[in-house]
Amino acid sequence: MMEETRRCLRELVVFSKLEWDEVKLICERASEKRYYKGEVIFFEDNNAENLYILVEGRVKLTMLSPAGKEKVINILQEGDILGEMSLFDQDTHTITAEVVDEARLVILSFEDLKNIISKKPGVAVKIIEAMAKKTRLLTSQIRELVFQDAEGRMASLLTRFVEDFGVDVKSGKMIDLVLTHQEIANLMGSSRVTVTKLINQFIDEGIIKIYKRKIVITAQEKLEEKLGKFI
């Protein structure tokens, strides 16, 4: 398993620029675990003790309101890391991480990670870069909420999904991800009713179609036109 983990770490973008001895040090301290669809990796407000590196699969990050309403923050994919915020502030997790597809993760305790960073500061740089990526995403989401209407936010979300999860099919680009209308509404800061109306509108306009519960972008130019109104 060690050799497979080492190979996977080298292939992941988050650690692709590390030196071989740095990767080796991580692999010597890390463990590997598989999670199944719907399984929770950690809950909001749980004590944070580990850094998680997503090698395969997808993970949904969510928060709960005081009333118990779920808000989807982001969908992570291969190469992303989880739990890095608590490494620096020693606080509990601020989000819940739930597996969307069967996932494989490399797990490294904060204690081991701190020891590695003291010897190899380059590892800390990669973690900071991952945090910056999430901060940019949150900033983008705030910008969309402030400056775009629901139609623009839908166009932005679909564009981002195409970049992250798009696969080529005959009729265009399929977003290889199954989400409910409520989860999409949470991601774009809208209501489920509005999302349903917008999806039907985009279908009528020939921008998207639904295939096996997945969204296919059939007219990328039209989607970009909707996005362009708010740029």
Side-chain angles (χ1 to χ4, degrees), residues 2 37 46 59 85 191-192 215 225:
M2 180 61 69
K37 181 178 180 180
N46 279 177
V59 172
M85 294 294 292
S191 69
R192 182 186 58 78
I215 297 175
E225 287 175 5

Side-chain angles (χ1 to χ4, degrees), residues 45-59:
D45 292 330
N46 279 177
N47 290 330
E49 299 176 348
N50 300 310
L51 179 78
Y52 300 85
I53 307 164
L54 184 56
V55 177
E56 293 178 4
R58 289 163 189 163
V59 172

Side-chain angles (χ1 to χ4, degrees), residues 6-230:
R6 185 183 292 116
R7 175 182 55 79
C8 287
L9 283 172
R10 289 291 289 180
E11 291 174 352
L12 294 179
V13 174
V14 69
F15 288 136
S16 62
K17 295 182 180 178
L18 291 185
E19 297 298 327
W20 179 251
D21 60 336
E22 294 173 327
V23 176
K24 181 175 181 292
L25 192 56
I26 292 173
C27 291
E28 287 174 349
R29 305 291 182 88
S31 61
E32 191 174 297
K33 184 176 179 180
R34 284 192 175 273
Y35 292 83
Y36 296 97
K37 181 178 180 180
E39 192 171 355
V40 174
I41 300 168
F42 53 77
F43 286 97
E44 186 176 344
D45 292 330
N46 279 177
N47 290 330
E49 299 176 348
N50 300 310
L51 179 78
Y52 300 85
I53 307 164
L54 184 56
V55 177
E56 293 178 4
R58 289 163 189 163
V59 172
K60 176 174 66 173
L61 303 182
T62 64
M63 299 179 71
L64 285 179
S65 71
K69 183 178 180 181
E70 182 184 82
K71 163 68 175 174
V72 181
I73 304 299
N74 195 13
I75 306 292
L76 302 185
Q77 58 183 324
E78 177 181 320
D80 287 327
I81 63 176
L82 303 79
E84 73 281 1
M85 294 294 292
S86 299
L87 170 65
F88 297 98
D89 63 13
Q90 305 295 310
D91 207 345
T92 57
H93 289 296
T94 57
I95 55 176
T96 294
E98 180 183 339
V99 175
V100 176
D101 300 323
E102 184 175 342
R104 182 159 58 97
L105 290 97
V106 169
I107 305 170
L108 188 65
S109 74
F110 285 161
E111 183 178 352
D112 284 336
L113 182 57
K114 288 175 182 177
N115 289 333
I116 291 171
I117 289 174
S118 67
K119 299 174 183 177
K120 303 291 182 180
V123 175
V125 174
K126 302 312 295 182
I127 294 171
I128 292 170
E129 287 177 357
M131 293 173 64
K133 176 183 176 183
K134 289 180 181 177
T135 301
R136 285 194 297 270
L137 174 63
L138 290 173
T139 302
S140 176
Q141 290 175 334
I142 292 171
R143 184 184 297 113
E144 290 167 7
L145 285 170
V146 173
F147 296 111
Q148 296 181 352
D149 62 13
E151 183 180 81
R153 296 199 300 275
M154 173 67 81
S156 295
L157 183 65
L158 292 180
T159 300
R160 188 162 66 243
F161 277 172
V162 167
E163 292 174 355
D164 290 343
F165 308 110
V167 295
D168 291 320
V169 294
K170 284 186 178 180
S171 54
K173 284 271 192 180
M174 182 174 71
I175 297 171
D176 189 21
L177 188 67
V178 176
L179 292 172
T180 66
H181 287 192
Q182 185 61 60
E183 287 173 326
I184 294 173
N186 291 342
L187 281 164
M188 58 180 276
S190 190
S191 69
R192 182 186 58 78
V193 173
T194 297
V195 166
T196 299
K197 288 180 179 178
L198 285 170
I199 287 177
N200 289 333
Q201 176 190 325
F202 281 28
I203 291 173
D204 292 341
E205 294 176 0
I207 298 173
I208 66 172
K209 69 177 183 180
I210 307 298
Y211 178 72
K212 294 184 177 180
R213 298 179 62 202
K214 296 180 180 179
I215 297 175
V216 180
I217 309 299
T218 54
Q220 185 70 37
E221 297 82 3
K222 289 184 178 181
L223 181 64
E224 290 173 357
E225 287 175 5
K226 287 189 177 294
L227 183 60
K229 292 192 302 181
F230 300 93

